[in-house]
Amino acid sequence: MAVNTEIAQVNLHHAAAASGVITSRFTAEKLGMLLIHRGEVKGLKMETNKVYWDLSSEIPRTCIVVRNNIDFFCISEFLTQDLVAVQARDFEGKDFVLASAYFPGEAATAPPEVVERLMEHCRRHRFPLIKGCDANAHHSEWGSIDCNVREILNSMKEKEAEYGGLFLSWIGPFPIAVVSEPQIAKDILTSPNCVNKSFVYKGVEDATGPGLFTINEPEWSYHRKLLNPAFGHKILLNFIPIFNKEVDHLMEVFKTITDVDGVDLVPILQKFTLKIATQTTMGQNLKHHGSAVDESLLQSFPYVQETITEMGTLSWLSMKAMIWILGDYEQYKRSKTAIRKFIGNLITARTKTLPDQLKLDGNIFINRAIELLQQGRFSRKNVEDESIVIVFGAFETTATTLKHILILLAMHPQCQERAFEEVSSLWPESGSFEMNYSDIQKLSYVSMVIDETMRVMATVPVVGRQLLSDTKLSNGVVLPKGIQVLIDIFNMQRREDIWGTEAHLFNPENFLPSNIDSKHSYAYIPFTKGIRNCIGSKYALLSLKIAVSKLVRNFRFTTDFQYNNLHFVENITIKLKQTPLIRIHKRQM
Ligand code: HEM
């Protein structure tokens, strides 16, 4: 008999009462088929219907209920505890398959292998497939905040191996082109059609307000042009004394924890980079053992940052709703308010400063932003939002990168010794030596260590764009207007065809001129490149070179954690499933 009927899907959470309600509604609302997840299957049987599930399983997690007058058969090949598939005929007489699938969280793959086989079966026989799935298996591809068991970076790597450096995937219902081919990454990053950010960053905007990191055209070009001068070479040179001084303070902290078993560097390094960021961009020094305000700010920034990253892939749903449900919304709100108040007070104080005095204070970011306010080119809200974005942009990324560098050096003692030798040949005396710009240019091995760290552990593993109009790539493919594009920096920087069979290993020699010069210029893009690259890349590299040099000159880092056990978790900045604990030893000379 031809089918022209209504189909519904429901998860009953093994509640007998819910099974009772659904059976009575099935009759009352004259439904034809029900795809049920976690139902009490035996309670679903009525005179008007049949129930299909895997009789061999003790606790079936899915079943299909079908009215008696519908003609179909159950495909036994695909009958499991978590899958039921039936074949029926539509009102035009064409066969189709209807499946009910439960994706368990503990399965090794998502979708489960049997579901993949069913899809292949339908493809082969050209049967349309209607699938009702309950994804207890978290996966950001269908809108979860994370991927349990599997990770998105791994799954992208597998797909890249199968389909190449450009393939189509999904984030929930939205198509997304995933790129790991340097030339295609270049096509995207240098195209004016691809300047807008993907919607996945909406959550960041909830925390920071609309600033450089998330805004789109035409505002973005306008803001970027106005703010670029605050990151010019001369201004960066003014920051070198601040970088030197703050690394010296960091070394004082390290001295108090030498030879302690297993130090978690994260809070220490976050505090360090946050203090640099507030001074260099906002002209405000947060104290080391500061006031209550300083201490609460030092907690507020990391708290909001963590919430953003936790919620990263959820952001396109509804940031506020999700934090409210899953996180501590009150603390998130309090932290956001504290940051805005701190930045707001600074701006108020500086707007009272005469323009000539602002110039004397140096052209740091906040002065540039206030100048734009006084010229009427920025609103007060613009100044606040951009200030918050810059501080966030600066502190978490740099702290994460410095943490990775120290971890990798601790795991690779020979590389650490080479870095130490290079630094001590330039600065024979240990202690708080002052590094200037021309000395910093002499560091070659330390630079290679920093680059190699950001290659194997891309601090920002993926960046996302949304296309403003149809865009033709150099391989001839045309990506349509509106599509999301994800540049998979993490996997691109570990491609064996580019970096060799040991691409996954840490080896600073990859950045010897003889090795790197022959690579595509977009094969290594930790700050991206092109039109909308990181505005703070030179700032970051300068501060990292000073920090790494002084630290390896004065300390030795060790860990028991093995490189092969590092497990990466994608987020706005990359996370480690387990952060290796480090031991810090004072060098004697
Ligand atoms: C190791 C440290 C850092 C890394 C790995 C890093 C990486 C990145 C990446 C990958 C982007 C996105 C680029 C894109 O969408 O194509 C970005 C954007 C940005 N970064 Fe950084 N960054 C770092 C440090 C900094 C610092 C120190 C600052 C500020 C002082 C900063 C401020 C920003 C801002 C404002 C943006 C948005 C730029 C725009 O859209 O116009 N970053 N960064």
Side-chain angles (χ1 to χ4, degrees):
M1 182 188 288
V3 177
N4 183 5
T5 187
E6 287 194 2
I7 302 170
Q9 178 191 355
V10 65
N11 183 331
L12 298 176
H13 293 274
H14 293 297
S19 302
V21 171
I22 202 76
T23 44
S24 56
R25 286 189 63 179
F26 183 79
T27 315
E29 291 175 27
K30 299 195 169 68
L31 288 171
M33 290 178 153
L34 268 177
L35 311 183
I36 300 223
H37 306 287
R38 295 161 76 206
E40 290 300 315
V41 287
K42 287 175 190 145
L44 294 165
K45 173 94 188 75
M46 293 173 293
E47 276 184 10
T48 51
N49 66 35
K50 298 185 189 75
V51 188
Y52 285 84
W53 79 91
D54 177 13
L55 289 168
S56 67
S57 71
E58 273 179 31
I59 310 173
R61 290 188 284 203
T62 192
C63 67
I64 296 184
V65 180
V66 192
R67 285 188 85 86
N68 287 340
N69 63 349
I70 294 175
D71 197 9
F72 69 95
F73 66 89
C74 187
I75 317 176
S76 56
E77 195 185 341
F78 302 111
L79 189 61
T80 72
Q81 178 187 18
D82 294 327
L83 179 66
V84 180
V86 298
Q87 190 170 321
R89 197 153 281 178
D90 69 13
F91 53 87
E92 288 176 337
K94 293 190 183 133
D95 281 337
F96 72 96
V97 171
L98 179 74
S100 181
Y102 179 79
F103 293 6
E106 72 277 10
T109 56
E113 187 265 333
V114 62
V115 175
E116 298 260 22
R117 272 198 290 118
L118 170 67
M119 286 158 63
E120 185 48 40
H121 167 87
C122 293
R123 251 194 302 267
R124 221 178 25 248
H125 294 282
R126 296 177 186 273
F127 294 145
L129 171 64
I130 303 170
K131 219 173 14 162
C133 308
D134 183 316
N136 191 30
H138 298 188
H139 203 301
S140 36
E141 280 196 24
W142 46 80
S144 310
I145 47 169
D146 57 3
C147 307
N148 50 358
V149 187
R150 306 143 296 273
E151 286 89 27
I152 198 166
L153 291 175
N154 272 343
S155 106
M156 288 197 301
K157 187 178 173 193
E158 282 164 20
K159 286 188 184 154
E160 281 154 18
E162 197 174 345
Y163 305 115
L166 171 68
F167 66 87
L168 195 66
S169 186
W170 301 90
I171 303 182
F174 302 100
I176 184 155
V178 183
V179 175
S180 63
E181 177 65 44
Q183 183 52 43
I184 296 174
K186 184 174 180 185
D187 294 342
I188 299 291
L189 294 171
T190 53
S191 163
N193 296 338
C194 311
V195 169
N196 280 358
K197 285 288 183 91
S198 161
F199 61 72
V200 296
Y201 296 106
K202 278 286 159 229
V204 177
E205 203 164 281
D206 183 82
T208 59
L212 211 50
F213 191 75
T214 52
I215 53 175
N216 284 331
E217 292 292 40
E219 288 80 16
W220 175 77
S221 289
Y222 180 68
H223 280 221
R224 178 81 187 224
K225 209 167 147 199
L226 294 179
L227 294 177
N228 271 337
F231 292 87
H233 182 68
K234 278 197 184 138
I235 291 162
L236 288 185
L237 295 184
N238 293 335
F239 296 158
I240 292 179
I242 299 176
F243 296 151
N244 268 296
K245 184 187 69 184
E246 285 305 326
V247 180
D248 291 348
H249 287 307
L250 179 65
M251 293 200 299
E252 291 305 313
V253 177
F254 275 17
K255 276 184 203 158
T256 65
I257 47 175
T258 46
D259 301 318
V260 173
D261 231 5
V263 177
D264 179 6
L265 292 175
V266 175
I268 300 170
L269 297 181
Q270 275 188 345
K271 205 167 174 170
F272 159 70
T273 54
L274 185 54
K275 281 172 52 241
I276 290 188
T278 51
Q279 282 177 76
T280 50
T281 61
M282 304 303 294
Q284 175 76 358
N285 189 359
L286 292 179
K287 297 182 191 75
H288 297 282
H289 304 291
S291 64
V293 175
D294 289 350
E295 282 306 317
S296 97
L297 264 173
L298 285 171
Q299 282 160 16
S300 297
F301 273 104
Y303 187 82
V304 172
Q305 181 86 41
E306 264 160 40
T307 311
I308 297 172
T309 44
E310 286 285 306
M311 301 295 155
T313 41
L314 255 192
S315 48
W316 58 276
L317 293 175
S318 167
M319 177 76 182
K320 280 185 193 156
M322 287 302 157
I323 298 169
W324 191 74
I325 294 164
L326 302 171
D328 183 346
Y329 188 59
E330 283 310 312
Q331 187 176 349
Y332 169 71
K333 229 169 56 180
R334 265 198 312 277
S335 304
K336 251 180 26 168
T337 310
I339 292 167
R340 211 155 260 278
K341 201 168 153 206
F342 165 74
I343 301 276
N345 288 343
L346 271 177
I347 295 168
T348 306
R350 282 186 178 256
T351 40
K352 291 182 187 146
T353 312
L354 293 170
D356 288 348
Q357 184 60 37
L358 282 181
K359 284 208 176 77
L360 282 178
D361 284 353
N363 205 354
I364 59 169
F365 170 81
I366 184 71
N367 292 355
R368 172 73 184 144
I370 286 174
E371 194 186 7
L372 295 169
L373 175 68
Q374 289 168 343
Q375 292 167 355
R377 295 157 96 185
F378 261 9
S379 69
R380 159 88 193 204
K381 172 95 171 51
N382 289 150
V383 176
E384 259 184 48
D385 292 339
E386 292 298 0
S387 304
I388 293 173
V389 164
I390 295 290
V391 175
F392 271 118
F395 100 90
E396 160 78 359
T397 45
T398 319
T400 304
T401 310
L402 184 53
K403 176 188 77 176
H404 292 165
I405 295 169
L406 298 182
I407 288 173
L408 290 175
L409 287 178
M411 288 172 169
H412 299 87
Q414 284 173 342
C415 300
Q416 192 175 165
E417 279 318 292
R418 272 193 71 181
F420 167 74
E421 277 158 25
E422 177 177 84
V423 180
S424 45
S425 72
L426 291 164
W427 292 276
E429 298 292 318
S430 61
S432 59
F433 48 87
E434 196 69 10
M435 294 175 68
N436 62 38
Y437 186 72
S438 70
D439 290 335
I440 295 166
Q441 299 317 298
K442 294 179 192 145
L443 296 164
S444 64
Y445 193 73
V446 168
S447 295
M448 285 158 63
V449 165
I450 295 171
D451 281 334
E452 178 66 353
T453 303
M454 288 197 287
R455 183 188 72 79
V456 280
M457 292 168 81
T459 314
V460 178
V462 292
V463 293
R465 297 282 198 270
Q466 179 163 9
L467 264 50
L468 274 162
S469 50
D470 290 0
T471 303
K472 189 165 184 186
L473 304 173
S474 48
N475 63 358
V477 170
V478 178
L479 292 179
K481 174 182 173 181
I483 197 171
Q484 309 289 314
V485 178
L486 205 73
I487 306 210
D488 179 5
I489 300 176
F490 183 87
N491 286 313
M492 185 168 76
Q493 293 185 168
R494 289 167 156 247
R495 275 178 59 156
E496 289 192 4
D497 58 339
I498 298 174
W499 300 94
T501 49
E502 298 197 329
H504 59 293
L505 298 180
F506 173 78
N507 177 12
E509 311 259 317
N510 278 318
F511 285 88
L512 280 172
S514 52
N515 289 333
I516 190 70
D517 288 354
S518 55
K519 309 254 186 305
H520 191 288
S521 59
Y522 277 64
Y524 172 66
I525 48 167
F527 301 101
T528 80
K529 283 184 175 172
I531 299 177
R532 195 171 182 170
N533 64 341
C534 170
I535 203 169
S537 60
K538 293 198 173 78
Y539 170 121
L541 287 173
L542 205 54
S543 65
L544 285 170
K545 282 179 190 171
I546 295 179
V548 174
S549 303
K550 288 192 166 195
L551 292 177
V552 295
R553 178 66 192 81
N554 286 282
F555 301 94
R556 200 164 51 79
F557 301 92
T558 58
T559 182
D560 297 329
F561 205 97
Q562 297 292 309
Y563 180 80
N564 288 341
N565 294 333
L566 285 174
H567 207 101
F568 303 102
V569 183
E570 65 286 339
N571 222 313
I572 296 175
T573 52
I574 199 153
K575 303 282 165 221
L576 296 173
K577 206 158 216 166
Q578 203 186 344
T579 298
L581 297 178
I582 299 286
R583 247 172 273 111
I584 301 172
H585 313 274
K586 179 102 187 67
R587 286 196 188 262
Q588 296 312 321
M589 41 160 224

